[in-house]
Amino acid sequence: MSVLLDQVPPQDFSVIKEIVSSELDFDKVFSSFEETPIGSAAIGQVHRATLKDGTPVVVKVRYPNVERILRGDVVTIKMFAQIAQPVHVPALEEIEEQFMTEFDYVQEGNQLENVRKNLRKAGLEGPGKLCRVPKPYLHLCTERVLVMEELHGVKLADGLKDEMAIQAKREGKTTEQYMSEMKQKERLAKERGEELKGPSSSEYDMYISVLNKHRLASNTLRKLYNISVGWLPGKKMRAIEDKSSLPVNHAKMIDDLFYIHGHEILVDGYFNGDCHPGNIMLLREEDGSPSIGLIDYGQVKKISKETRHLFARLLIALDDDNKEEIVSLMQEAGMRTENMDPEVLYLYAKVSYDTINDKILQGKHIQLFMEDLESRDPIVQLPTEFLMASRCSVLLRGLAMALHQNRSVARAWRPIAERVLQTEA
């Protein structure tokens, strides 16, 4: 999957320039345009550029013929599903509908702006807020070209790797040794039937506070050295460390990501169904403090007020572990199985919209668990309006589990769900 996200071989710049020039007056719009892309993915690649007025931007360019090729792939998958697993056809059609919106960068630009405005209105987006979403320059966006503000940072995965290397060095280990020890801890925890849990947000804050005091003390000594000795011939000034040398509070970052996407789904009814880690950036404020960047709004799902309220009620029932209510709401959402086994509906809801743990999975791998559910009571129809919300939930939980910060989505989103039902009743 990572290859599809941001490691696809880029197209030659001559191809990219030809596409941009066919959509915009290249020389009148841009004063500079970097030939080497800063990222490439399944349907396009991204370049840094500067507008004629001096505004730095990034330009996302769609590859030629990619829509025709990928549409053909989706049709093939659907044809196979119609023969082998017809129950999944409605879900594939929902995914297809969302996926096909990625081919129109005018639509993506508008979606980007709408999400950005929604989050800014809620006080969640902007400098010093929970996240940043790039501003699109809509007057320069075309079907194949998207021009937007650049968020200065790195992909979250790359940022976490860099952080791991710093932590390993802090403990006097190589990155490989540090990773090996973490994997060993994970194995031992699994053998004991336990879940390896990372520090809480408050524990992270205490640890970061201690490291920050060391950083400030070290910076004081470096400054004294620089003004007393560092300026002399043959001496080198010592670098002053900003907060980027400190660890990221993983627990808070996960909580913030859950809250932002919970707000998008339950309050705005307008959310990114493709919030995989490749679309999350680790940014730095001027003092080096970490912040979250959210990019790529090609797969935005819009849901009705009725759907939002139904999903909110389901989340509350899941957090209460009210099986009877969960089953009733799943039926109301359109879930159908051959035998309508209440336990199957309940377990499907828990895994899709709430949490995954050994108690639910009974020690099985998630794929085997889902296959067992299907064989126990075959699915006839899925709640398609909840499909993208489920995908968002699963992607966020996957990231959380990778950082040993497993969360219950229902518990995290319950306060938002209750507020929505109270204020919109």
Side-chain angles (χ1 to χ4, degrees):
M1 178 60 77
S2 61
V3 173
L4 290 176
L5 298 182
D6 53 14
Q7 296 178 16
V8 176
Q11 294 274 342
D12 188 82
F13 180 68
S14 61
V15 176
I16 297 301
K17 186 173 182 180
E18 183 179 349
I19 294 171
V20 177
S21 298
S22 70
E23 305 282 321
L24 300 169
D25 191 326
F26 193 93
D27 293 326
K28 286 187 177 180
V29 172
F30 303 104
S31 62
S32 67
F33 200 106
E34 293 186 9
E35 295 190 11
T36 303
I38 58 174
S40 56
I43 68 171
Q45 62 193 54
V46 181
H47 293 254
R48 284 193 180 95
T50 305
L51 302 181
K52 281 293 186 179
D53 65 2
T55 303
V57 295
V58 292
V59 184
K60 187 175 176 181
V61 185
R62 197 185 80 198
Y63 294 142
N65 303 318
V66 69
E67 182 175 1
R68 176 180 57 80
I69 295 168
L70 291 179
R71 279 187 184 275
D73 290 343
V74 171
V75 169
T76 302
I77 293 170
K78 280 174 59 181
M79 288 176 63
F80 173 80
Q82 285 169 345
I83 297 169
Q85 293 182 311
V87 66
H88 295 302
V89 171
L92 285 170
E93 288 174 343
E94 169 71 8
I95 292 172
E96 177 187 22
E97 181 182 344
Q98 297 304 315
F99 182 63
M100 292 310 166
T101 63
E102 292 216 45
F103 297 118
D104 184 352
Y105 284 171
V106 172
Q107 181 172 340
E108 180 173 341
N110 284 318
Q111 291 171 173
L112 184 63
E113 180 66 5
N114 288 338
V115 170
R116 183 172 174 271
K117 283 182 177 178
N118 288 342
L119 293 177
R120 183 157 287 203
K121 182 180 177 182
L124 301 177
E125 193 278 339
K129 304 298 183 181
L130 292 191
C131 70
R132 296 295 303 274
V133 176
K135 173 187 175 182
Y137 294 92
L138 296 175
H139 65 291
L140 297 175
C141 295
T142 72
E143 187 178 347
R144 296 193 294 171
V145 177
L146 174 59
V147 182
M148 57 188 157
E149 169 191 13
E150 179 179 9
L151 298 183
H152 296 281
V154 296
K155 295 279 188 178
L156 180 60
D158 294 334
L160 293 175
K161 285 178 185 175
D162 292 342
E163 182 189 62
M164 185 186 297
I166 293 172
Q167 183 63 24
K169 184 178 179 182
R170 191 177 284 127
E171 296 182 15
K173 303 168 186 172
T174 65
T175 304
E176 291 73 22
Q177 287 173 328
Y178 185 84
M179 288 181 65
S180 178
E181 288 182 9
M182 287 301 299
K183 288 178 180 177
Q184 177 68 5
K185 289 178 182 177
E186 290 172 355
R187 275 195 301 270
L188 292 173
K190 191 170 184 180
E191 288 172 5
R192 294 192 301 267
E194 300 173 356
E195 181 184 327
L196 188 60
K197 294 182 180 180
S200 67
S201 182
S202 59
E203 288 169 338
Y204 260 116
D205 281 342
M206 289 176 62
Y207 178 57
I208 292 169
S209 176
V210 170
L211 292 179
N212 192 43
K213 287 175 181 176
H214 284 292
R215 179 187 71 88
L216 293 171
S218 176
N219 280 346
T220 299
L221 294 175
R222 291 173 188 224
K223 289 175 182 177
L224 289 172
Y225 175 88
N226 289 343
I227 62 175
S228 61
V229 179
W231 59 274
L232 294 174
K235 301 294 183 179
K236 283 186 178 181
M237 291 285 193
R238 293 179 178 175
I240 305 300
E241 287 186 1
D242 64 16
K243 290 184 178 180
S244 62
S245 63
L246 301 174
V248 174
N249 185 329
H250 294 177
K252 182 180 184 303
M253 180 182 70
I254 292 299
D255 289 339
D256 289 348
L257 284 168
F258 270 66
Y259 186 84
I260 292 163
H261 289 88
H263 178 92
E264 287 184 8
I265 294 169
L266 292 163
V267 178
D268 301 326
Y270 197 84
F271 63 95
N272 185 9
D274 194 29
C275 54
H276 61 72
N279 288 338
I280 301 171
M281 295 182 68
L282 180 59
L283 312 179
R284 294 288 176 180
E285 302 290 348
E286 288 187 8
D287 64 354
S289 299
S291 61
I292 297 168
L294 302 176
I295 60 173
D296 197 343
Y297 278 82
Q299 293 188 40
V300 168
K301 173 70 176 176
K302 186 176 182 179
I303 57 176
S304 68
K305 179 179 178 180
E306 292 72 25
T307 300
R308 286 191 294 111
H309 287 192
L310 180 58
F311 191 54
R313 287 161 56 205
L314 177 60
L315 289 168
I316 293 169
L318 285 164
D319 189 40
D320 289 337
D321 202 27
N322 185 335
K323 290 189 179 183
E324 185 177 343
E325 180 72 358
I326 292 167
V327 171
S328 175
L329 291 169
M330 288 296 285
Q331 292 173 342
E332 189 177 342
M335 180 79 177
R336 298 289 182 271
T337 63
E338 284 190 4
N339 305 313
M340 294 302 285
D341 183 337
E343 187 68 11
V344 170
L345 269 64
Y346 163 75
L347 289 172
Y348 182 88
K350 289 294 287 185
V351 170
S352 298
Y353 313 115
D354 186 15
T355 189
I356 299 175
N357 54 48
D358 284 338
K359 182 180 177 181
I360 293 172
L361 299 182
Q362 299 171 344
K364 300 174 185 174
H365 185 275
I366 180 62
Q367 185 174 344
L368 179 60
F369 175 80
M370 296 303 288
E371 288 173 357
D372 285 351
L373 278 187
E374 174 69 15
S375 61
R376 175 175 171 176
D377 188 8
I379 296 170
V380 175
Q381 182 178 305
L382 292 167
T384 52
E385 277 301 288
F386 287 177
L387 183 65
M388 298 307 286
S390 169
R391 184 167 185 238
C392 182
S393 163
V394 169
L395 288 170
L396 290 175
R397 278 183 282 155
L399 174 60
M401 291 176 73
L403 295 175
H404 306 123
Q405 293 290 333
N406 197 7
R407 295 287 188 274
S408 159
V409 175
R411 188 155 302 160
W413 288 352
R414 178 175 187 146
I416 308 174
E418 289 179 331
R419 187 169 69 247
V420 165
L421 293 175
Q422 290 168 2
T423 57
E424 298 182 8

